[in-house]
Amino acid sequence: MPSLNYAAPTTVDEAVKLLAGASGLAKVLAGGTDLLVQLRSGRMRPDLIVDTKKIPGIIGISGSAGTGFTIGAATPGAVIEANEALKKAWPGVVEAMDLIGSTQIQGRASLAGNLCNASPAADSVPALYAAGAIAVIVGPNGKREVPVEQVPTAPGRTSLAKGEFILEFKLPPRPAYSGDAYLRFIPRTEMDIAVVGCGINVTLDAKGTCTAARVSLGAVAPTVLLVDAAAKTLIGHTLDDATLKALDAAAQAVCKPINDKRGTIEYRTKVAGVLARRVAAIAFDRALGKAGATTH
Amino acid sequence: MNYITSDLKVVGSRPIRPDGVEKVTGRAQFGADMRMAGMLWGKVLRSPHAHAKIVSIDTSAAEKLPGVKAVVTSKDFPHIANEEAFVGEGPMNFRDLSRNCLAWDKALYEGHAIAAVAATSQAIADAAIELIDVKYEVLPYVIDVEDAMADDAPVLHDDLFSAGVDPKPAKPSNIAKVVTFKKGDAEAGFKDADVVVEGRYTTKAVHQAYIEPHACLCSYNADGQVMIYSSSQGHFMVRAYCSKLLGIDLANIRAVPLEIGGGFGGKTLVYLEPVAIALSKKAGRPVKMQMTRDEVFRASGPTSGATVEVKLGAKKDGSIVAAKQVLKYQAGAFPGSPIGPGCMCGFAMYDIPNVDVVGYDVVSNRPKVAAYRAPGAPISSWAVECAMDDLARKLGKDPIELREQNGARNGTKTHYGPTHQNIGFLETLKAAKNHPHWKAPLKPGQGRGIACGFWFNIGGESTAGCHIAEDGTVVATSGNPDIGGSRASIGMMVAEVLGVPADRVRTIIPDTSSINFSFLTGGSRVTFATGMAATQAAERVVEDLKRRAAQVWEIPVEAVEWKDGKAYPAGSNAGAFEPLDLATLALKAGRTGGPIGSEVSVNAQGAGPGFGCHICDVEVDHETGAVKILRYTAIQDVGKAIHPSYVEGQIQGGATQGIGWALNEEYIYDAKGKMDNSGFLDYRVPVASDVPMIEAVMVEVPNPRHPFGARGVGEVPIIPPMAAVGNAICGATGLRLYDLPMSPPKVRAALDAVAPKMAAE
Amino acid sequence: MAKHHVSAVINGEPTEFLCETQQTLLDVLRDEIGLTGSKEGCASGDCGACSVIVDGSLVCSCLMLGCEAEGTTITTIEGIAQGDHLHPVQQKFLEHAALQCGFCTPGLIVASKALLDENPNPTEEEARYWLAGNLCRCTGYDKVIRAVMDAAAVMRGEKAA
């Protein structure tokens, strides 16, 4: 009978050595909320599990809005949710992470796990893409930094080489009049995988005209999308009806979803447009300092 | 004796349930919590195909795996001829039950049990399953009910010829049975009608979705005696079914009822116990088995998916003159959907002179249907109650008033035969009409719907006991597993009769060897029938206590009365004796005739039917199709609420299951006939944030056939919600939805179909 | 791989156990230590019946490996009451009849305690969303939420127990 090995290294080097040197399939264990489900169902049959949680710095949040935040890769959602400074500067990133699963899932799930599981419907990923986050990757060839959107390549696949894992994420410094937001559509009020997810990050000028924007859509293609065309509908404009209409159309145009048990092609495409409008409204409001909470 | 008009001290109050503390501290033992020394872990091999001939099963490799102690297939079960017995709310065919537990020559659904192993660890059992080599000849499959009825559908059983069809068909088909109910002349009635509404409604298969998967621990001893520890809705049923399937004498089986983590009808039969016993017999050791959540969805008993066509005809003044229904229900792999109750319940609430109902019981390649809370009725009422709403709109009548006008009352003859007596439908409707919810204002985008439901409720054979311990405290025994608080209500009825506080009575559920037979827990019968037995047992104890007091006082027994837990001389002429309480009389038990106690078995008749009326407010997001339940009121005639909190609980729980059925629950299949959403992630039951508080309003029109006036309450509340939600969506959008579940994509598509301009934004 | 030898503090007691890598914390609690109060409803983190508190965080024990428990402090349903003193959440569940079959109850009680430890004054909506990961099929959640809100009031000292 196959046996499963487990190691909990206490340094980056030790972890890299274990992952790079594994003779069979080695999987990183952060929060385990995807990995353990896959283990139990037999979808994943690794030979080695490398628990990274004991590596210094892999759990924790540092930095500030002005200098940029650094978030340890294995930081649980509950810790992210509790960080007031992060929540104030990046409410979209925090609410996206917070939407993953239940309170119990939040006690363990991490940004790195969500990203590297590479599901097109992952909740935190569109917000991370929209934020312009950087993934700090460590591996046998040392450290490298890549934009997060370069990590997932296909459902369940990433660009990480053997022996590599994410150590932390960096969020860029926050200019004034910036705001981000994330919404997803699910059939219930909680506990569902996103049928569509949308993250938008904008910077405005003092009058409310958009000077920079990133728009990301989840669950409408094999990977989460960064939608340049949608961002272009915002840049140089205020969020008036014409802009909203153009944004909706640009969001719908880029959708290449599938029919599955969570949504049809037609439905996902329409709702992508709906969410893009709603998310943009919240992001713009936040950028202008208006109180506008996302209720669930 | 009858206490309906008495001043009650315990019944109607809300004491803490006797089994409460062990449940909130995690000490209560459920099906998977038992252990025995030397126990093995059992695991089932299940068919990956929706329909296939089983060509061969080679278990040799599995048997050789170290740690494997037994492997079984259907060859290890005796071969059973077709034999039906009426159990619960439907017939049970033991040949079909046997080949559902372990397949014979065919795999009839994905998940169908083919073989099972017992090994020294779960990991070895899992590995052994993979070593069993089954050769299948894959066959075309059919799942949808109308597809299964088509002439060219793949036929599941070549010995199934439709019953209820004259002449008997020459060819086998998937239509197991056709049932018809006729009253008057519906054709003529429709000709006479001023207004006609019709609709074709569909539902998908849904699961009871109890949180506790099936589990058991069985031990077959060398002398042929068997211990079964399992959770079920009837340990006598477990004993009987295992006896039948394995050919073991009933007295040689002792079924111990562990706590049950939800059943709702889905645990009124067995899946694992016969297999575990067969494994235990072969291995010579106890065998523990538990289903995974995936197995629960694929291989237990979801209810029917169905199509229902309904037609109503009424005069301008609102009197309904004709009603027609054609119902087609999935039965799953073997015959036996709840088509009968489905045919009976839809129109049972109304006094209609001309009725024509036809129902089809249809097999198809999905798990065998098991009971789910008022089996058959929710599907039927989904269609009828939506049609009633359409009729009210067409007539320009208030939907409650339309139902009041046509509502069944005492003396109304149903279309399926019996005449309603002592029912509370009109009282329920009146309570709905007068409830503040009905008149509360709605905002734009919001809508309100009402719908009603009816369930017969049953009585039947029950046993309960009342025993006075040597210190005068009381143990009550119930032959029925407790799925909703019946230990509390039975103890309360006993306490009431004895005249002691509720917490002096402890109610327990003895195993099958320790109490006389009691029919299973289902059909909303336990408070009624087992409660009746318990009341009678307590009454006999009171008579006995009076006799003993009379003996102590040396007066005639007619001169003794019992009040508030004590024997009193009945009037000053009887003598100036100090009252004798339970403790004192118990102390004297040896000298007054021996131990004090009574066990009573009844075959309770006169179960009172139940009616419900639900009011639902929704808000619809027109862009996403999401439906939010804003407010929900469930009104029901409960006869007499023995413990009001647990009656409310039944109403709230049933309503919430109905809301899930209305909005998001469904079996989704892939292109190979395999279930695509066999987990709680994508089988979407309501979560806490999906529903508001559910106001349960208990109307009490006593059932005179029960000592305290109780009616069964558990099943009625799941019947109205789907139409209540559908009618509310109609109120909010002007659109009638015909297909369950009314999930967001369906709502959005319906909105788009009528307003394409608005959608192209 | 040989079994892992794990030391943790469970319900206040230093505890040691052996486990294979693939055994979850839930498997360990139920099958190795004998604490069967935490239940398996789905083994995939969707129902919450296995909820426990690990180092102050509410988690699903079915989504944690037993060997990850090394050096942690764990509270299960068996550790919520203090001797025969029920926690206010447990007491209110009984008073409000917030349980019927009782199978989801351990998970709900652990989750509710975790809620009130973090937020002593939740709104009804906050309580519902916090508890969304605990499925209940019997009660429709109404009496559960009432019990939690009532327990919160007791714990805030606003009413007698």
Side-chain angles (χ1 to χ4, degrees), chain B residues 330-352:
Chain B
Q330 285 175 331
F334 303 98
S337 75
I339 191 65
C343 288
M344 291 186 256
C345 290
F347 297 133
M349 286 167 270
Y350 306 113
D351 185 358
I352 305 173

Side-chain angles (χ1 to χ4, degrees), chain B residues 287-305:
Chain B
V287 174
K288 178 166 170 162
M289 297 184 78
Q290 42 193 69
M291 282 198 191
T292 62
R293 178 54 51 185
D294 179 74
E295 288 179 291
V296 173
F297 276 118
R298 289 183 204 280
S300 61
T303 192
S304 314

Side-chain angles (χ1 to χ4, degrees), chain B residues 36 124 316 586 599 644:
Chain B
M36 276 176 90
I124 296 174
K316 263 194 306 252
E599 183 174 290

Side-chain angles (χ1 to χ4, degrees), chain B residues 253-437:
Chain B
I253 299 175
R254 191 163 169 194
V256 177
L258 298 178
E259 297 305 318
I260 171 174
F264 316 110
K267 290 180 181 162
T268 55
L269 71 165
V270 292
Y271 299 97
L272 297 177
E273 290 89 333
V275 178
I277 293 171
L279 284 167
S280 177
K281 182 175 179 184
K282 251 191 179 175
R285 288 164 69 164
V287 174
K288 178 166 170 162
M289 297 184 78
Q290 42 193 69
M291 282 198 191
T292 62
R293 178 54 51 185
D294 179 74
E295 288 179 291
V296 173
F297 276 118
R298 289 183 204 280
S300 61
T303 192
S304 314
T307 69
V308 182
E309 288 154 41
V310 64
K311 187 171 169 184
L312 295 172
K315 305 295 271 179
K316 263 194 306 252
D317 71 357
S319 48
I320 300 173
V321 292
K324 185 175 154 129
Q325 223 184 356
V326 177
L327 306 98
K328 298 164 185 162
Y329 282 18
Q330 285 175 331
F334 303 98
S337 75
I339 191 65
C343 288
M344 291 186 256
C345 290
F347 297 133
M349 286 167 270
Y350 306 113
D351 185 358
I352 305 173
N354 304 295
V355 179
D356 181 345
V357 179
V358 179
Y360 297 87
D361 181 38
V362 182
V363 299
S364 66
N365 295 112
R366 40 138 291 173
K368 167 76 178 72
V369 158
Y372 180 17
R373 210 161 191 164
I379 296 167
S380 182
S381 284
W382 153 239
V384 173
E385 292 300 295
C386 286
M388 285 291 286
D389 204 58
D390 283 349
L391 185 62
R393 276 174 218 280
K394 226 169 169 179
L395 289 167
K397 274 197 169 266
D398 172 283
I400 295 187
E401 283 173 12
L402 178 65
R403 287 167 171 86
E404 282 181 313
Q405 183 179 355
N406 294 284
R409 57 211 73 207
N410 292 339
T412 300
K413 188 162 160 68
T414 63
H415 64 283
Y416 56 93
T419 300
H420 284 305
Q421 302 288 1
N422 302 307
I423 60 171
F425 186 41
L426 295 180
E427 290 84 344
T428 303
L429 288 172
K430 187 159 169 220
K433 202 162 70 165
N434 294 334
H435 195 282
H437 184 173

